[in-house]
Amino acid sequence: MTTEAAALTAETLQRFLERRAPEGAVVAVRDVEPMTGGYSCIMTRFTAEIDGEARQLVARQDAPAETAVLKTDRLLEWRVLDALTRQGTVPMPAALHADEDGSELGARTIVLELAAGGSFLTRVRDADEPARREAALQLADLAAAVHAADVSALPAELERPESWDAYLDGLAAEWRALEERLEDSYPMLRYMAAWLEANRPAPAPLGLVHGEFQPSNQVLDGEGHLQAVDWEFAHVGDPREDLGWCQWVEAVQPPVLIGLDPAAFCARYRERSGLGEDVVNPLSLAYFSILPAVRVFAGVLEGQQAFSDGEASGFRTAYLVGAVATAFEGWFGAAAQIEQAAGAAQEVAA
Amino acid sequence: MIVRPSSRQLLESVREELRTTIADAVADAEAQARLAMIDSVLASVAVRSEHEVAWIREEIAEIEEGARAVIAAGADGGDRVAEALADLDGRRAASDLVSELHGEYDAAGEVLSRSIEAALPAGGELRQRIEGILARRLAREVEIRGEFSLAGRE
């Protein structure tokens, strides 16, 4: 078994697909091209022709350990994707095959359909404001569809929290645990841990959470409908994690979509999900723009520690120091915004 | 030691060269994304090279004052802030060598963390004072970072 990525070639991909094609099928692979992006894995697009029928596919493959900015479990991701593909209710490119131990393609790899409509981020970057407002509503629709997935059909390895309170306790504890694991002190992490515990919002039903729900992880199908990709952080949790995370990412990776009208976004999500205004509102989104970020930033900060200690060399790790400062700025600002709004509400009530 | 042009000026000249000469010659999208990342890192290093030692010294002094205010206000239950201050005293840098200063700064970070944990529940002016230290630390982190937009994700 290996977790080191080797450059994928048409020949290796063809052999891989031949083993999974119906007996006697003629398989040909061409147009193998690397894709940009991917902080934890290497993405390669290619065309596979099976008995004359051409399909555009993409391979998501573990990056070499020394250069991966984020380390995630490709095997669990495959099992989630496989379950969701079978379920058929979540808009996403179908997951087709996996090299579960890396013995065939040089590293653990998932092969999926390539969405025909391309990148959602590219489309919204060039869009005018009315189109971006509409795009935010599409995001709300996609999020509600993701969160409506049948959790009982997901792989058993995916942890099911005992309760919402236990889940939030655990997430808040992750902030302190992360700071303890890191060699350097991070007062911002300790501040946020204390603040998050003291400012908990109303509970929501737990469900499937994408975990990195953002325009760069969304694509368009051939008919222009949104689909979610890159499920490596998928878990069972509070659905507002995706909404808050998406809003936070807008600050790092414009354009702003949800932030144009957070109230309208929340209203659309409530309409699609059936959740109430006490649960989904701009302030609860702001809270969840902070709380779950620890999961992604744990990988980033631990990667930076390894970099500082000379145990990792990836250039993207150096680059992401700026993303950490941006995260700190966003969390601190969101916490202040929530407290100001809560204070104003108390004054009105008095 | 040749100190002029400054480190910041030298780094800015590299950024300028990358932007005006190298970037135009690069057609590959991944390489262009890497150039944007390189520019971002160089911009940060340019600011750090100018201010790092001074800012660390200033911040440590401010953290110590804040911690003493927490203790004076009777908010240091369990003496956790006082313990961290004592640890800081034992980790003073012998010089302004950045690698030595980092150890002292790290100890000061723990003092700030414990001051935060004491001041948040206390509320009022004490909380504002300690949050102000954290806010100024953040402002410098943001100044070092400069403009930031995640490059290379499509």
Side-chain angles (χ1 to χ4, degrees), chain A residues 15-36:
Chain A
R15 280 197 297 276
F16 175 78
L17 292 176
E18 279 170 348
R19 290 186 198 108
R20 288 154 179 86
E23 201 174 329
V26 178
V27 178
V29 170
R30 56 183 158 80
D31 306 331
V32 179
E33 287 175 28
M35 296 170 75
T36 57

Side-chain angles (χ1 to χ4, degrees), chain A residues 231-285:
Chain A
W231 290 79
E232 59 204 309
F233 289 99
H235 60 277
V236 177
D238 189 308
R240 294 169 294 184
E241 292 173 51
D242 280 340
L243 313 182
W245 173 261
C246 194
Q247 189 176 19
W248 180 79
V249 168
E250 293 178 356
V252 197
Q253 194 171 53
V256 171
L257 301 176
I258 297 173
L260 287 172
D261 190 347
F265 174 83
C266 288
R268 177 68 159 251
Y269 181 82
R270 289 196 300 267
E271 184 188 317
R272 294 288 191 259
S273 66
L275 296 176
E277 194 170 357
D278 59 326
V279 175
V280 178
N281 56 64
L283 291 182
S284 66
L285 252 63

Side-chain angles (χ1 to χ4, degrees), chain A residues 36-37 39 119 121-122 125 176 183-185 187-188 190-191 194 212 214 216-217 252-254 315-316 319-320 322-323 325-326 328-329 332 339, chain B residues 29-30 34 36-38 40-41 80 105-106 109-110 112-114 116-117 120 127 131 134-135 137-138 141-142 145 148-154:
Chain A
T36 57
Y39 278 65
S119 158
L121 180 61
T122 302
R125 265 188 187 146
R176 290 188 197 283
E183 287 167 17
D184 298 329
S185 64
M188 184 60 79
R190 296 267 281 277
Y191 175 84
E212 212 186 358
Q214 60 196 51
S216 63
N217 285 339
V252 197
Q253 194 171 53
F315 171 67
R316 282 177 195 253
Y319 168 67
L320 284 176
T326 304
F328 288 179
E329 185 183 26
F332 199 67
E339 286 208 33
Chain B
E30 178 65 26
R34 294 294 175 120
M37 293 178 193
I38 289 168
S40 174
V41 172
R80 295 183 73 247
Y105 185 62
D106 186 52
E110 181 62 23
L112 178 55
S113 292
R114 293 187 185 193
I116 288 166
E117 286 159 356
L120 272 185
R127 175 181 171 174
E131 277 184 338
L134 188 63
R137 179 188 182 109
L138 174 62
E141 286 164 348
V142 169
R145 179 207 65 194
F148 186 85
S149 175
L150 210 53
R153 300 207 80 179
E154 290 298 337

